[in-house]
Amino acid sequence: MNEAIRPGPESPLQAAGLPQLSVVVPTFNERDNVTTLLRRLEMALKGVAWEVIFVDDNSPDRTWQVVRDLARQDGRVRCIRRIGRRGLSGACIEGILASSAPCAAVIDADLQHDETQLPKMLAVLQADTAELVVGSRYVEGGSADSFNRQRAGARARATGGAKQLRRGAIADPMSGFFMIRRDRFEQLAPQLSTQGFKILLDIIATARGTLRTLEIPYTFGSRLHGESKLDSMVALDFLGLVLAKLTHDTVSLRFLMFAMVGSIGLLVHFSALYIALSGFALPFPEAQGLGALSAMTSNFILNNFLTYRDQRLKGFAILRGLLLFYLVCGVGLLANVGVAASVFDQEPIWWLAGAAGALMGVVWNYAMSGLFVWRRR
Ligand code: GDD
Ligand code: MN
């Protein structure tokens, strides 16, 4: 190597002006917040070589365009515009993997996290006191005994913000504000789930107690502009992460919900069949048809509100979606019966053939409705 370009012994990063810290900011409809966040990062990170990577899931409010404009004026700013994908965890993972500073931080765009903690967090990683630093919220004025994490936060505050070093459970595993050493993150990344928003919990669970972790309490601010994207269904998200971990990402929560909705559909089918037969004295074929139609309709509605809540069809698209869903399920029924019949041909065990057919049907319906009914734009 040429003498002139060989990095010096101390702090080669600083010498080359390369970032010591990559800040990753997931965004969805945050156009009014990103510029302020950038200014605040600038203030907070004076004296640190840093870069910021905004990961935007093609926000309808065109946040990505605002970020692009910022990036044109400032080489430290980058924008990843993801099309056809949604999800906080996946966005954070992609942002960290698209950067290369030895330390990576994740922070929300809506100014609810306290960016002035970043230098402190970076110092902890650089001193190798910990490999992961978590910004833990404590709720001011919140009742101290309603949640453990609030209690832990209050405790930390009472001891003057004293930090506790941990390896396993932490007070605020749902925090979206943390900093991690790149090498440790790269080790864990292949096992992380890209679905949902519990990235920190996932990192900690995947590391299985091997990550030296430190918590720094901060005050969770209130949102300046826009609204929260994490609705009341987030509890399901947690279930999804557990499931993905248990099955090594083979079974998604979405599929399981789809199948669960399908079993509810079975109940709807039998109820409608029964009512049509005994209440309205319809002939059997008509009653059975009505049962199937009711089941498909209720399945569609439930899937639209639960399974695909993040890409719910609204307005006129509901009608179009419903018709497509009927079509998909109709073909699914043919596939179901076809598979069941051929299994029964080889092995005349009624329940085995029935189960094989039903599995075929649900997998088909799931795959096809994901492709055609709740297609990602
Ligand atoms: N790229 C991308 N894709 N970004 C997203 C998505 C998405 O699907 N959903 C949300 N975001 C971004 C938001 O734009 C914001 O910058 C950040 O992720 C957090 O989203 P909010 O909608 O503001 O979440 P919150 O304030 O309700 O949730 C808080 O609690 C969560 C769980 O306890 C935050 O502190 C989260 O970080 C935390 O995970
Ligand atoms: Mn928020």
Side-chain angles (χ1 to χ4, degrees):
M1 190 195 273
N2 184 330
E3 277 299 314
I5 60 167
R6 183 178 294 162
E10 338 102 26
S11 191
L13 281 183
Q14 256 161 327
L18 295 173
Q20 301 159 259
L21 171 67
S22 300
V23 181
V24 171
V25 187
T27 59
F28 194 76
N29 287 347
E30 305 284 4
R31 65 171 299 136
D32 297 327
N33 290 322
V34 287
T35 309
T36 316
L37 178 71
L38 181 62
R39 298 294 163 248
R40 290 202 189 173
L41 287 176
E42 250 168 359
M43 297 271 283
L45 291 170
K46 277 200 177 104
V48 175
W50 57 279
E51 62 177 351
V52 59
I53 297 97
F54 289 90
V55 188
D56 186 71
D57 286 354
N58 203 27
S59 296
D61 79 348
R62 301 172 88 85
T63 305
W64 45 272
Q65 200 163 47
V66 180
V67 176
R68 288 255 186 266
D69 290 343
L70 292 171
R72 276 172 199 274
Q73 298 152 24
D74 190 336
R76 296 171 299 189
V77 180
R78 278 195 285 147
C79 174
I80 298 177
R81 176 184 173 194
R82 306 199 306 167
I83 293 177
R85 275 178 294 165
R86 269 302 298 275
L88 186 50
S89 291
C92 295
I93 294 170
E94 212 159 310
I96 298 177
L97 294 181
S99 64
S100 39
C103 299
V106 171
I107 187 169
D108 286 357
D110 58 5
L111 315 166
Q112 289 190 284
H113 295 161
D114 180 4
E115 77 289 340
T116 63
Q117 303 293 328
L118 288 170
K120 214 191 295 176
M121 295 161 95
L122 183 64
V124 168
L125 292 193
Q126 286 179 335
D128 199 29
T129 312
E131 298 156 314
L132 168 70
V133 194
V134 177
S136 290
R137 303 164 264 203
Y138 56 75
V139 182
E140 210 144 15
S143 83
D145 55 4
S146 57
F147 283 110
N148 275 336
R149 64 166 190 204
Q150 291 177 7
R151 225 184 294 148
R155 210 190 304 127
R157 189 159 52 126
T159 52
K163 304 153 190 167
Q164 283 172 285
L165 194 62
R166 298 157 191 265
R167 277 177 185 275
I170 61 163
D172 190 3
M174 308 300 180
S175 175
F177 184 33
F178 60 89
M179 196 186 289
I180 187 167
R181 250 173 56 181
R182 160 164 315 277
D183 53 350
R184 294 310 313 273
F185 183 81
E186 301 262 357
Q187 285 166 353
L188 301 171
Q191 281 105 268
L192 296 180
S193 176
T194 54
Q195 296 171 24
F197 70 96
K198 305 233 165 323
I199 179 171
L200 180 64
L201 186 65
D202 196 7
I203 289 174
I204 293 169
T206 304
R208 295 178 188 277
T210 63
L211 262 184
R212 282 179 292 122
T213 306
L214 198 77
E215 292 190 275
I216 291 184
Y218 75 96
T219 313
F220 191 62
S222 51
R223 200 174 236 287
L224 268 196
H225 298 283
E227 54 187 39
S228 167
K229 278 101 220 166
L230 309 180
D231 61 12
S232 51
M233 302 295 289
V234 290
L236 278 172
D237 209 76
F238 178 71
L239 205 71
L241 180 62
V242 174
L243 196 77
K245 287 281 117 183
L246 287 178
T247 63
H248 293 279
D249 253 344
T250 39
V251 174
S252 73
L253 178 68
R254 222 194 270 282
F255 177 72
L256 212 76
M257 299 228 326
F258 192 87
M260 188 193 76
V261 166
S263 6
I264 296 176
L266 214 59
L267 285 179
V268 173
H269 183 116
F270 281 113
S271 315
L273 178 61
Y274 180 79
I275 294 170
L277 285 176
S278 60
F280 295 88
L282 283 188
F284 184 82
E286 276 87 340
Q288 171 74 354
L290 205 73
L293 208 65
S294 320
M296 287 192 289
T297 310
S298 90
N299 283 0
F300 175 79
I301 294 170
L302 287 176
N303 279 322
N304 199 38
F305 278 100
L306 297 171
T307 320
Y308 288 98
R309 69 176 197 283
D310 55 334
Q311 39 188 314
R312 264 196 295 267
L313 302 176
K314 289 170 188 155
F316 192 67
I318 294 186
L319 194 66
R320 185 175 169 274
L322 181 64
L323 294 177
L324 273 170
F325 191 71
Y326 286 152
L327 200 71
V328 163
C329 293
V331 180
L333 185 65
L334 290 181
N336 173 341
V337 174
V339 166
S342 83
V343 169
F344 195 79
D345 253 4
Q346 315 211 341
E347 210 65 70
I349 308 171
W350 68 268
W351 57 266
L352 185 71
L359 188 68
M360 178 65 216
V362 70
V363 170
W364 166 275
N365 287 351
Y366 177 68
M368 291 304 134
S369 60
L371 265 181
F372 296 113
V373 183
W374 289 279
R375 191 185 43 204
R376 287 169 181 258
R377 276 137 307 185

